[in-house]
Amino acid sequence: MSTPQRTDDEDRQAWLRGVAADMARLDRSSSAERAADVLRRSITEGALRPGAQLSEIELTEVLQVSRNTLREAFRLLTHEGLLVYKLHRGVFVPELDERDVVDLFRLRRVLEVDVVRGLSERDPELPASRLEPLHADVESARAAALAGTWPAVGTANMGFHRHLIGLADSPRLDAITSRLLAELRLLFHVMATPRELHEPYIARNQAILELLEAREYEDAADDLHRYLVDSEKGLLAAFKAR
């Protein structure tokens, strides 16, 4: 017997419970920046889809913040391009297009490929412990694929790229990456089947990790560049096919 599909309301209630759980792990004195972090994570992990409307009433309750604090969080995320305000309608998750694909992947190639290529000079003897988060991300993606939870594969892939840029030990790059990956996840929703998008990159992430372990940083950077070009082409094709 097939598993019943969850309704939009059930998905929304599940997301709100997740938001409340995230906020419960934060300091009670958390500010708008912390509330924004929780919402940004919801976008990065695929829980908030393009076009979704955010309710002040719901979020002030589950985030346990004032309406003014929530509005400041909304302003922060609007400035980052992760939310949009529509006059007389409210706050929404934006819907991106092909131009955003091209722009975001141009930035990804600049950041990610440069970080990997730079390891040969900055950290030629990369300790194995620095690669443990990348190993964990690959294993998480494999486990999610075996379970057939392809959105979770996408989340593990986001973690892989976040930890890849984290090898640069740059707080500024980490901050840029947080926003970049959230916008990227919004693009993923254009794919009718998440498996089609994510499955090929489980093995490709593994291959890049193996090159890093072997300290073959130039080869890893070249492989990553091809990987990002292929990923961009796949997303552009999905937009054109809509």
Side-chain angles (χ1 to χ4, degrees), residues 145-165:
L146 286 173
T149 53
W150 293 100
V153 176
T155 298
N157 183 55
M158 295 288 94
F160 183 89
H161 289 278
R162 179 183 293 108
H163 291 131
L164 192 65
I165 290 182

Side-chain angles (χ1 to χ4, degrees), residues 18-20 43 54 69 81 88-89 106 135 142 165 201 217 241:
V19 167
I43 295 173
L54 302 188
T69 297
H88 304 311
R89 293 185 60 195
R106 182 186 298 121
H135 274 288
R142 284 177 174 159
I165 290 182
Y201 295 96
Y217 302 125

Side-chain angles (χ1 to χ4, degrees), residues 22-31 34:
D22 279 346
M23 204 63 182
R25 287 191 286 269
L26 300 176
D27 189 296
R28 289 293 180 183
S29 63
S30 59
S31 64
R34 290 192 177 274

Side-chain angles (χ1 to χ4, degrees), residues 2 27 38 54 56-57 67 95 99 107-108 141 166 172 194 198 220 228 235 237:
S2 62
D27 189 296
V38 172
L54 302 188
E56 284 191 4
I57 295 174
R67 183 163 292 188
E95 300 181 75
R99 291 170 298 179
L107 179 57
R108 290 190 74 189
R172 289 180 176 83
H198 299 305
L228 294 174
L235 285 169

